[in-house]
Structures are given as C-alpha cells and as structure tokens.
Amino acid sequence: MKWWQTKVAYELYPKSFLDTRGQGTGTIRGIIERLDYLASLGIGAVWITPVCRSPMVDNGYDIADYTDIDPSYGTMADMDELFTLAAERGIRIVIDLVFNHTSDQNPWFLESKKSQDNPYADWYIWRDAKEDGSAPTNWRGIFGGSAWTWCEERKQYYLHTFAVQQPDLNWANPEVRKALYKAANFWIERGAGGFRVDAITYIRKPDVFKDGTPDGEDGMVSVHDMTANTPGILDYLHEFKREVSDGHDIFTVAEANGVSADELKYWVGEDGAFDMLFEFSHVNLEFKGIETWCRPDPWTLSDLRTALFNSQEATKDNGWYPAFFENHDKPRCVDHFFPQGTDPVRAAKLMGLLLYTLRGTPFLYQGQELGYSNVRWDDISCYNDISSHGQYEFALSEGFSKEEALACVHAFSRDSARTPMQWDSSANAGFTTGTPWLPVHENYREQNVEAESADPDSVLSWYRKLAVIRRNLPALKEGDFTPLLEDSETILAWQRTCGDHKAVILASFAKEPQSYDEKLTEGLHVFLTNVKQHEEGKLQPFEAVLYVND
Ligand code: GLC
C-alpha cells in the first residue's frame, strides 16, 4: 500500500485554526504550534486550504500569486518550517491548488484585462457582448448573479464560474497550463506531500457557448449545468499528471462536483488522472441537481447507503476512496445527517465510526473531532461566506420570505464549518487574543480541546481511539468491503475482511431501538460502541458499534 492509503488525513482551515498574532485570523505559526495536537489525532497528512497571496474575497480561493504566502498567514520561511517540522512528526503537508480561476488581482488578469491583444489577452475566458450589450450567455455563477462581468477597459465580458473577483483561466491556452504546472512543481520542490485540486471539473469549457434553459425566475441557468465535466477535460488532467505528479511520492485528490461514481474509473487509479476524487453524492443528498439551498429534496437512509456503497464499489479494484462527511463548504455532520434533537455526541461518534471504517483514506475536517455543530446567526449580515449571501438573495428572488431564506442559510451556510477552533474555555476559545474574524461558537466553554482531552467519553477521545484502532486492525486498514443489510431503512452496515481478520460495523439512524439478526456478528465481539452498553441483536437510537474477531 502507498503511505497515504494507510494514514488519516486532516483538512485544516488555517484562517480559523490558531492566531499567534492577535489579529483575529489564524497563522502558519499557529499550525506549527499545534502540530503535536494533530499528531495526537494520528494524522499523517494535513490538507491546508489556500494560504497563497489573496485578497480573500473567497477566503483564499481567489489567488493573486501561486508561489507566495499571504502576509496575513506569515512568510515562506514559516511555510518551509511547517513542512520540516510536520515531516519530523510523520505528517505531510498537502497544498490546495486552485487552478480553475485566479483572483482578479492576479497580475495575469490585470494584464489580460488591459486590451484584446496583449501577451496575456488569451489567459482568461473573454467574449463579446450580445448585440443588445447583455452578457454572452444566460449562465448564473455558482455564488449567484451572472457568471459574466463586463470589463470597460477591454470592452468585453469575462467568465467567472464563482465570484466576480474569480475570473476563470483559459486552460485551452498551453501557456496557461504551463504556468500552472510550474506553480504546482514549486510546491513539490518545497516538500508538499500532495495536492487537493480545487473545482477541477470546470476547467474545460464547451467549444460553443450558448444559452441554456432557465432553471429559475431570474431567466438564468447554473453555469455548472453548462460547463461541468465537459468532454475532453481528461486530456488536460492527464497532462497535469505527466507534468506534475508522475514520479513523485505524493498523492492527488481532486474536488470533482459533477463526476458520478460510475465515471470514477476514468478519473482515478492506474489509468486515471488522480489518486483520489472527492465525489459529493453522499453529502449532497438533498441536492439531486444543482445545489439550491432553498429547494432541498427529501432523502432517506437508502440514498445515503447507495451513495456510499457506489463509491466503494467504484474504487474496489481501481483507485482509492477519500472518505469524508464534512469539509469547509458543508454543514456540520451532526446537523446534516440527523433529525433535530439527536444527542450530538452520539451522532458525532456514529459519523466518526463510519468515517474510519469505510475502505479508503479518512479525511477528518477541523472541528469535526470535537463534535462541532452548525451556527445559527440572527441576521444574514452576520455571515461572512460569499455563497451564503448569494443563496440568500436567490431565495428572496424566488419568493421566499427573509425568515425562510435565513433558515436555508442556517442549514447550509459554509460559515458553520469555518468558525474558530475551540482550544480551551478562555476568551475566544483560545483561538485569538484579538477579535475573531468569525464569532466563536457559543458552546466553546464545554466543547474545546482542553475539556475534551480530559474526558474519556468525549468526541475527541473517540477520534483518538478510532485512529489507533484503524492503524492496528488489518481488517480496517486494508480489508475488503462487503455491504450488509442493504434493504434496511434504518441501519447502515458493512463488513471488512482481510485474511482471517474480520470487522462488522452497524449504525442505526433511527430514533427508536432497532433489532438485527445476531448471525451477522457470530464469532465476533464488541470492540467499540457509542452507547454505555451494547445489547446483542439490538441497536439503541443512533447507536454505532464495531465488532471484530481480533
Ligand atoms: C471549491 C472550494 C470552495 C471555493 C470554490 C471556488 O468548491 O472548496 O471553498 O469557494 O471552490 O474556488
């Protein structure tokens, strides 16, 4: 097995991790200070969301310089030290490559927008206005509003899949691709252990740009439906593999909204472009089509099972699965997958057990190990997340009331995943001595690293246990995956087997006690459960249990 297949990975949101300067936002030195904390969680790879120079319109996903550190985070010397000190603890640092777009303050764009015939003129996606002066197509950007913005200087529109300040790069231009590969190689030379590749399904644009059938009252269609996963995209990605990842002991994991489990084989594995792919069907259960917060679809446990098991099946012989239930764009899992009123500690532990027992590399997200829940702020103005504002405005334009629109934000805002890390019960949870850029969650006095470290029944202690178990049990580390109880409406279950080693995982999503056939666990004993006492053949509400024969 490769090193990254046996590790637990951690997604770290640096702006909210630890501030060592009293400025209200996290720093690279803050990460260095807490490397031992990460090591105590058994982490072997840390994916840090972007720390490159950026105006921070989208919290670093708008990059102005791919090979420089944003001053708010520190310096390149800090980053080099981070690589070195992390490596000493067996941790590799994973860099976030944001290659679909740059910031509008990137020098490439500043040049490109000057005229239609400068050396960078063709580095972005520029188009003339329609005859009436309106945007070239009726595409809506992912954060809301038109995906096109007029540039008076150049007298053309440019395309931005995301915010106005995030112009899309023109991957059809070989010069652009070369510059991006150069930036990626810069990070490999500095010691990167891998890359998380952002929004990669959008890099190839269709040959002909045309209007789509409107999907909302605004007469627009989501740009996602018009440009995601355009045929030919894999040619670019294989080139990326040849020019960047081949020959290095690193891993790549791509964010691939719009790629389904049955397409995975072309994207990952021996003949694929990446080692792993973040596929979203299991965390987008309420969005069968595009992610429109005011129109969630109902979902059932079977939908969750199908999504998870399809990914397991798709990566069985080819590629490898990056398991995750949270990231910096998603709600907290204790709110996302459970009915209101569920015991949050039990729910958090259940999700942890699933995360660490699926076949693949678990990606734990900052705060998940403490059992974080969503924030519910009183007014939209309290929210920082650009997509929360876009979705709120869209809901209003679709006729929803302010209260209804805010309820959608409560359920899905990305800010819930971005509140500061809760280290202790001191002011601002020990995250900063200044004013935190996002309010600390109100529960920080009880839910923090210090308090949870001292409590053997806490979510944090559970995650520490899980890391050891996963490392030591061959069935979990390298075993095959076999689905169990596929028709159950309330229980998720599977088996992992490696030679004579066997593990069975059962997790109930029901409010009422459930029973199951004891034959499933014959010859095995209970190794871990999130309730006080497991009873054979029965699962208490939201109980998760791990049976093994070792
Ligand atoms: C990805 C990132 C998200 C960002 C977007 C634009 O989806 O995960 O946080 O806003 O790309 O870069």
Side-chain angles (χ1 to χ4, degrees):
M1 287 176 98
K2 305 254 175 56
W3 66 270
W4 43 269
Q5 292 178 308
T6 64
K7 304 283 182 190
V8 175
Y10 187 88
E11 185 194 348
L12 189 148
Y13 201 71
K15 194 167 178 180
S16 295
F17 193 64
L18 180 66
D19 172 17
T20 47
R21 291 185 186 157
Q23 61 189 13
T25 58
T27 58
I28 293 169
R29 298 224 70 81
I31 306 174
I32 293 175
E33 263 191 32
R34 295 295 148 95
L35 280 171
D36 287 334
Y37 168 71
L38 296 168
S40 81
L41 281 164
I43 302 300
V46 177
W47 149 30
I48 302 182
T49 63
V51 287
C52 287
R53 190 178 283 276
S54 161
M56 302 285 167
V57 170
D58 188 20
N59 285 328
Y61 283 93
D62 44 325
I63 292 183
D65 186 339
Y66 286 107
T67 56
D68 197 9
I69 297 294
D70 193 80
S72 70
Y73 285 122
T75 62
M76 193 57 83
D78 293 338
M79 197 64 191
D80 286 340
E81 201 176 322
L82 175 62
F83 281 124
T84 309
L85 296 178
E88 281 174 11
R89 289 162 177 83
I91 298 173
R92 306 277 313 262
I93 301 294
V94 174
I95 297 291
D96 207 323
L97 294 181
V98 188
F99 277 1
N100 173 68
H101 46 268
T102 67
S103 157
D104 63 351
Q105 299 307 308
N106 190 304
W108 302 344
F109 187 74
L110 295 176
E111 285 305 310
S112 189
K113 72 182 219 186
K114 281 186 182 156
S115 65
Q116 297 190 22
D117 58 358
N118 67 74
Y120 290 86
D122 194 30
W123 279 48
Y124 293 83
I125 314 285
W126 294 98
R127 289 289 183 280
D128 291 332
K130 278 185 181 161
E131 264 176 23
D132 63 359
S134 63
T137 64
N138 67 342
W139 302 348
R140 183 191 315 108
I142 288 182
F143 294 154
S146 173
W148 295 98
T149 289
W150 175 253
C151 173
E152 190 47 39
E153 210 176 337
R154 175 162 162 157
K155 304 263 181 287
Q156 275 186 314
Y157 279 92
Y158 67 89
L159 180 71
H160 48 89
T161 298
F162 296 90
V164 176
Q165 300 88 342
Q166 291 170 300
D168 280 37
L169 284 159
N170 178 17
W171 273 69
N173 180 344
E175 292 282 302
V176 170
R177 304 202 300 271
K178 217 165 112 190
L180 294 174
Y181 303 153
K182 192 169 162 208
N185 281 307
F186 168 90
W187 288 108
I188 294 182
E189 278 157 33
R190 297 202 100 82
F195 295 115
R196 179 263 186 182
V197 191
D198 184 69
I200 201 67
T201 37
Y202 301 112
I203 60 170
R204 176 130 194 167
K205 313 300 180 206
D207 294 337
V208 182
F209 285 18
K210 47 178 196 251
D211 282 347
T213 314
D215 62 22
E217 299 296 315
D218 58 3
M220 291 193 258
V221 56
S222 171
V223 67
H224 175 89
D225 288 342
M226 304 307 288
T227 64
N229 204 357
T230 300
I233 187 170
L234 288 160
D235 298 340
Y236 293 153
L237 298 178
H238 282 286
E239 184 183 76
F240 168 86
K241 187 179 178 204
R242 284 194 304 276
E243 299 292 326
V244 176
S245 20
D246 273 356
H248 299 285
D249 187 21
I250 62 165
F251 73 82
T252 52
V253 54
E255 184 198 34
N257 244 329
V259 176
S260 60
D262 46 317
E263 292 171 295
L264 271 181
K265 54 182 178 290
Y266 307 111
W267 286 72
V268 293
E270 282 299 296
D271 303 322
F274 300 108
D275 295 308
M276 297 180 270
L277 206 71
F278 285 128
E279 189 270 313
F280 286 84
S281 52
H282 66 297
V283 288
N284 276 352
L285 296 169
E286 52 282 271
F287 306 116
K288 309 272 185 281
I290 54 165
E291 189 176 323
T292 306
W293 296 356
C294 57
R295 299 222 175 79
D297 297 315
W299 59 273
T300 64
L301 190 66
S302 308
D303 298 329
L304 176 58
R305 175 187 299 111
T306 304
L308 289 175
F309 289 11
N310 280 350
S311 304
Q312 289 289 313
E313 179 62 28
T315 49
K316 194 165 106 191
D317 303 315
N318 185 45
W320 189 249
Y321 183 62
F324 76 101
F325 290 111
E326 286 188 10
N327 69 20
H328 64 288
D329 295 328
K330 290 284 156 204
R332 293 296 183 172
C333 64
V334 302
D335 288 304
H336 198 176
F337 295 100
F338 299 88
Q340 256 188 357
T342 307
D343 172 358
V345 171
R346 199 177 279 189
K349 290 180 177 178
L350 183 156
M351 295 311 287
L353 187 65
L354 302 188
L355 183 67
Y356 280 54
T357 60
L358 284 163
R359 180 175 176 274
T361 297
F363 278 74
L364 178 61
Y365 177 65
Q366 180 171 315
Q368 186 177 355
E369 76 274 25
L370 298 173
Y372 271 26
S373 49
N374 287 350
V375 286
R376 290 186 176 76
W377 293 324
D378 294 340
D379 195 90
I380 187 66
S381 62
C382 305
Y383 284 83
N384 168 281
D385 166 29
I386 189 167
S387 79
S388 296
H389 289 273
Q391 293 273 0
Y392 180 83
E393 290 305 324
F394 182 73
L396 294 184
S397 75
E398 295 289 291
F400 289 87
S401 70
K402 281 187 176 173
E403 290 70 33
E404 288 165 334
L406 191 63
C408 306
V409 171
H410 288 167
F412 298 111
S413 174
R414 306 192 301 176
D415 279 347
S416 285
R418 301 175 179 188
T419 60
M421 190 65 180
Q422 293 161 204
W423 294 104
D424 55 39
S425 57
S426 68
N428 299 323
F431 161 68
T432 179
T433 53
T435 308
W437 72 282
L438 262 195
V440 174
H441 199 293
E442 58 193 15
N443 66 9
Y444 78 91
R445 283 193 191 80
E446 298 78 47
Q447 196 174 62
N448 61 63
V449 171
E450 193 179 64
E452 293 198 31
S453 293
D455 174 3
D457 289 329
S458 68
V459 177
L460 181 59
S461 298
W462 177 264
Y463 269 102
R464 287 188 169 136
K465 247 179 260 166
L466 285 175
V468 177
I469 292 171
R470 188 177 179 279
R471 196 163 51 232
N472 293 337
L473 293 183
L476 296 185
K477 202 159 124 184
E478 44 192 322
D480 294 341
F481 176 94
T482 316
L484 297 176
L485 301 182
E486 283 183 275
D487 296 326
S488 169
E489 286 171 10
T490 51
I491 301 174
L492 276 188
W494 54 80
Q495 179 176 309
R496 304 285 312 276
T497 325
C498 173
D500 294 337
H501 305 281
K502 198 169 156 185
V504 166
I505 291 90
L506 297 155
S508 168
F509 282 75
K511 285 186 199 159
E512 310 297 332
Q514 302 293 308
S515 49
Y516 63 88
D517 187 347
E518 285 177 48
K519 279 201 208 102
L520 277 181
T521 56
E522 222 160 53
L524 310 180
H525 60 270
V526 176
F527 201 76
L528 196 66
T529 167
N530 62 348
V531 298
K532 277 224 155 54
Q533 181 78 46
H534 172 72
E535 207 183 315
E536 296 290 321
K538 291 216 165 56
L539 291 173
Q540 296 172 42
F542 308 106
E543 177 178 355
V545 58
L546 168 67
Y547 274 91
V548 297
N549 64 350
D550 293 87

